[in-house]
Amino acid sequence: MGTAPSSQQGTLRREKKEAPELRESYLRDNIDDVIAIAAPSDEKLQQQAHNYAETISLLLSRLLSNDIEGESYNIISRCLENEGEDEYATTSTLDNNAAAFCQWLHSRGGGSRRASTAQERPMYAGFLALFAFVTGCIGRLSSSAGNVLPLRRILPFIKADKKPRYSENSARIDLGLTCEPLDGNDTFQRDDASDNIEMPRRFDEPSYRRLFAVVEAKGGSTPADQTDAFEQLILYSKNMYAVQHNRRLLWGITACGAVVKACLFGPNFMLASTEMDLGSEEGRSELVRLIVYWSFCELDKLGYDPSVRFNREHGCMEIDVVPPGNGDGTGKQTFYSCEVITVAERVFGRHTRCFIAHRDPASAIERIKVAKNGIIIKDAWPEAAEHAKDDDRDEARYLRKIHEELPGDRYDGMYPEFLEGGRVHLGNEDTTQQFVGDSVWRQLNEHAEREGEQMALRVHKRIAMKGIGKPLKTISSCLELIIVVADVMSCHSGIVEHCNILHRDISTANILARDTADGIGGMLIDFDMAVDVDRKGNAVRTERTGTYPFMSVGNLE
C-alpha cells in the first residue's frame, strides 16, 4: 500500500527539490497539435469523434448562454435523443452536471486570470461535472442507430484532493481520471510480486494503479501558478510510471483558473499544449475534443502498451516479444509473468522494467525461479537511430555478438544469454517520433536547435534473455563479493578482447550474484550503454544516462 508516512514525507521533499530542474530540462510549453496526438488512427473512429466533439461543444455553449430557469433540461432533451439506460447519460444527470460546471464557470466571471488559492476547491466540482457531462453525452450520442460506440469512458474519481493508494510520497492529487473499458481491453496495472493485478471497480477513491491522468488545479492562472502546476504533475507522474508496468507515456492536465493545458510525458520530454480558456467557446471545444478523442482512440494513443496484457484466465501478464529483424512485428513470442523485479522509477529516462517470465502461464503463476533457465524480459526506451540497421548502440545486437564470439565454457553464465527481441512494433515501430507525430516532432527539433542541442529519438525495445541473478546486497561475505567481482572483471575483459565491445556502465546495479555448481559467481548485465570499440565516430549521447557515479568520461562530456 506504500511506504511509512515519515518516509513518504521525506521522499516528497526530495522530489519537490528535483521538480524545478526536471521542468526546466524537459518541459516544452505551448506546443501546437498536442491534442491531435490523441486522435484515433482509424478514420471512421476519428470522424465519429470529430462529430461528437462538435455536437457536445455546441450543446455546452447553448447551456452556458441559457438564462431561463429549467430550460436546460429541455435543451438537452432536444439535442440528445435516446436517453437509454446509461447512468451517466440520463437527461437529469446531464442537466445536473451541466449546471454544476456552468455555475462554477459563471462564478469566475467567465474565466478570470487572477484568483486566490481559496478558489481552488470549488474547481473540483466544476471539473468533475465537466468530465462526467462529456462522458454522458458521448454515451447518449452512441445510443443512436448507426453510431460507433466509444472504446471506453473517461471518468473522474469522485473523491478529490486525496493521496492515491500505492503512493511512494505523501502528495495529494486534486482530481484523478480513470478509464472504464467498454471493449474488453482492460488498462490493468500491477504493483509488485506480492499483490494481485487490480482491475477497475468503482471510481470513488483514486489509486495510482488505476489513474489514467491527473488534473492539477490552481485557483489562479498566473505564470507562477502554471509553473507550480507543471511541477506537481511531474511528482504524480513518477508514481504512475512506478506502478503501471504497461504504461509507455502519460497524459495529464493543468487547470489554472479557467485556463487549461493538456500535458504529455515521454521518456525525454514533457509537452504542454497551447492554452484552452474555458471562458471561450474555442477553449471549451478543444478540451471537449480531447476527452472525446481519449474515449475513441486506440489503447496505445492513451499511452498504454497493448503488447503487455492481462490474461484473465490465468491471472498473469502476457508480454509479446518480436524476434530480431522482423520489421513488421510478425512472428511474436508470448511470455507470461507475475513478477516485476525492476520498475520505471523515474519520470524521464529509459523507463527500464524487468520481468521474470516463462513460456507457459502455469510456471508464471507458480512463480518458478530457475537461475540457469529462468527468463528475464527487459523493456526500455533507450536512445537509438531511426532505422534499426543504423543503430550502433543496440543491446540485442551486442548480446547476440557476445554469445557468438565469446568462448562459451569459460564465461558461461557471466552475462545474459540473448533469446529474442528487439524493437517493439505497435502497428509501426514504437518510437517517440511515431507517437507524437511529425508536426510535434518538428517543433521539438526546432526548440532543440534554438538551444544548440539535438532532439534524441527514443525507441521502445524489449528483449528476452536467459539467466537470473541476485543483487549484491544478498551476498553474505567478503569472499563471495570478491568471487562475484572477479567473475565480472574477467567477463568484461573477455568481451573487450574477443568481441571488441565496451560496456561503459559498470556499476553495483549492473553486477549480479548467481548460483553455480561451486557455490557463487558473478554476472554482468545491462549493455544499453555499450559501444563497439572499433567503430569510428561513436557519438556522445545527447543526454546523460547510465549510473552517474560509474559513467564513462566520454559520456559525461
Side-chain angles (χ1 to χ4, degrees):
M1 294 288 288
T3 53
S6 59
S7 175
Q8 288 185 346
Q9 291 169 5
T11 299
L12 180 60
R13 286 194 294 271
R14 183 178 66 253
E15 291 175 352
K16 280 187 172 181
K17 288 181 180 179
E18 297 172 349
E21 182 180 350
L22 293 174
R23 174 187 54 77
E24 186 69 28
S25 298
Y26 294 100
L27 175 64
R28 303 295 177 260
D29 198 5
N30 294 314
I31 298 293
D32 295 325
D33 300 321
V34 170
I35 291 174
I37 295 172
S41 299
D42 182 89
E43 290 185 5
K44 187 175 182 180
L45 287 177
Q46 187 174 139
Q47 185 59 52
Q48 189 78 71
H50 175 77
N51 295 340
Y52 280 19
E54 277 195 346
T55 300
I56 297 169
S57 297
L58 289 172
L59 173 59
L60 197 56
S61 293
R62 288 186 62 184
L63 294 172
L64 279 164
S65 61
N66 172 58
D67 57 3
I68 303 175
E69 186 175 352
E71 181 60 19
S72 60
Y73 187 97
N74 296 327
I75 293 173
I76 294 171
S77 296
R78 289 194 296 268
C79 292
L80 302 175
E81 300 177 352
N82 304 321
E83 181 162 328
E85 299 179 357
D86 187 337
E87 61 180 308
Y88 298 97
T90 65
T91 302
S92 59
T93 300
L94 291 172
D95 187 27
N96 290 336
N97 285 325
F101 172 70
C102 294
Q103 181 181 2
W104 168 74
L105 193 60
H106 285 315
S107 71
R108 300 185 55 85
S112 170
R113 282 192 167 271
R114 291 188 175 274
S116 68
T117 54
Q119 289 182 286
E120 182 177 311
R121 293 195 66 83
M123 294 175 65
Y124 303 158
F127 274 86
L128 189 152
L130 175 60
F131 278 94
F133 175 78
V134 175
T135 294
C137 287
I138 294 171
R140 188 75 163 259
L141 291 167
S142 300
S143 64
S144 298
N147 283 350
V148 180
L149 295 174
L151 301 180
R152 65 194 64 85
R153 291 193 286 200
I154 305 298
L155 294 167
F157 285 98
I158 296 171
K159 294 183 180 179
D161 191 26
K162 289 286 184 179
K163 187 190 84 170
R165 288 180 295 150
Y166 310 107
S167 174
E168 292 302 318
N169 59 44
S170 57
R172 302 158 72 98
I173 67 170
D174 290 330
L175 284 174
L177 303 178
T178 191
C179 298
E180 181 185 25
L182 301 177
D183 63 344
N185 288 323
D186 296 303
T187 55
F188 76 89
Q189 291 84 39
R190 176 182 171 82
D191 190 15
D192 57 40
S194 63
D195 290 316
N196 292 322
I197 291 172
E198 178 178 340
M199 306 302 294
R201 291 188 293 273
R202 293 301 303 169
F203 308 119
D204 44 14
E205 191 166 339
S207 155
Y208 271 120
R209 293 185 187 176
R210 292 190 282 160
L211 274 174
F212 158 61
V214 173
V215 180
E216 174 61 21
K218 298 295 175 186
S221 51
T222 65
D225 290 321
Q226 187 64 70
T227 295
D228 189 36
F230 285 145
E231 292 175 5
Q232 287 295 111
L233 277 188
I234 289 172
L235 294 180
Y236 308 141
S237 297
K238 179 179 182 295
N239 283 313
M240 292 171 71
Y241 273 127
V243 299
Q244 296 186 20
H245 309 308
N246 61 333
R247 203 62 187 266
R248 299 154 54 246
L249 295 96
L250 290 173
W251 287 93
I253 287 178
T254 62
C256 297
V259 178
V260 175
K261 283 177 176 275
C263 299
L264 179 65
F265 289 85
N268 57 340
F269 57 75
M270 174 186 177
L271 306 180
S273 70
T274 52
E275 291 184 350
M276 296 176 277
D277 189 342
L278 300 186
S280 71
E281 184 173 343
E282 181 182 1
R284 291 191 300 274
S285 296
E286 283 294 277
L287 182 56
V288 168
R289 183 162 68 100
L290 178 62
I291 300 170
V292 176
Y293 278 171
W294 282 342
S295 302
F296 279 91
C297 70
E298 294 80 6
L299 201 59
D300 62 290
K301 293 272 190 170
L302 291 181
Y304 293 100
D305 188 345
S307 64
V308 179
R309 302 172 300 278
F310 175 65
N311 185 307
R312 284 176 175 271
E313 180 182 357
H314 299 289
C316 62
M317 286 180 281
E318 294 181 344
I319 306 172
D320 295 336
V321 179
V322 175
N326 287 32
D328 58 356
T330 58
K332 68 181 181 183
Q333 297 290 316
T334 299
F335 294 84
Y336 301 87
S337 174
C338 283
E339 297 180 74
V340 184
I341 57 174
T342 302
V343 302
E345 57 186 5
R346 297 180 182 177
V347 183
F348 304 104
R350 288 181 283 175
H351 291 167
T352 301
R353 299 178 174 98
C354 292
F355 308 83
I356 294 180
H358 303 267
R359 294 187 183 275
D360 66 281
S363 297
I365 297 167
E366 295 171 10
R367 296 179 178 174
I368 296 173
K369 295 182 181 179
V370 182
K372 185 174 181 180
N373 298 315
I375 296 172
I376 293 290
I377 293 180
K378 178 180 177 181
D379 186 280
W381 285 81
E383 292 183 14
E386 181 178 359
H387 302 291
K389 62 181 179 60
D390 302 323
D391 196 353
D392 62 350
R393 289 179 177 173
D394 181 62
E395 183 173 25
R397 180 165 65 87
Y398 285 135
L399 288 177
R400 287 198 304 272
K401 184 178 181 181
I402 292 169
H403 184 66
E404 292 168 359
E405 300 182 5
L406 198 63
D409 294 340
R410 180 177 177 184
Y411 302 102
D412 186 33
M414 295 185 185
Y415 62 91
E417 179 186 340
F418 176 81
L419 296 177
E420 50 200 325
R423 298 187 172 207
V424 174
H425 287 73
L426 304 177
N428 297 293
E429 280 191 353
D430 196 17
T431 71
T432 47
Q433 180 178 0
Q434 174 68 28
F435 187 89
V436 302
D438 292 339
S439 172
V440 172
W441 190 252
R442 182 171 59 253
Q443 294 175 72
L444 293 177
N445 275 306
E446 289 171 353
H447 180 278
E449 289 173 4
R450 289 194 298 269
E451 299 294 322
E453 301 172 350
Q454 179 183 351
M455 185 63 198
L457 178 72
R458 295 276 183 155
V459 174
H460 191 185
K461 297 182 179 182
R462 184 179 300 145
I463 57 177
M465 303 168 286
K466 184 185 292 186
I468 296 176
K470 297 175 290 187
L472 290 181
K473 64 182 181 182
T474 62
I475 293 176
S476 58
S477 69
C478 289
L479 177 59
E480 288 185 345
L481 179 61
I482 292 171
I483 293 171
V484 168
V485 173
D487 271 0
V488 169
M489 291 173 63
S490 173
C491 180
H492 183 268
S493 298
I495 290 172
V496 173
E497 177 183 354
H498 296 284
C499 311
N500 293 319
I501 294 172
L502 186 64
H503 186 281
R504 297 203 321 144
D505 190 19
I506 304 293
S507 70
T508 53
N510 293 333
I511 298 175
L512 299 180
R514 60 189 174 90
D515 295 325
T516 68
D518 298 325
I520 195 170
M523 177 187 294
L524 179 61
I525 64 169
D526 195 355
F527 287 78
D528 266 344
M529 301 293 296
V531 294
D532 189 332
V533 283
D534 288 337
R535 188 180 181 92
K536 294 181 179 180
N538 278 320
V540 176
R541 295 229 174 185
T542 59
E543 64 179 297
R544 298 175 181 180
T545 58
T547 310
Y548 189 89
F550 308 93
M551 289 162 63
S552 71
V553 173
N555 196 57
L556 290 171
E557 292 174 348

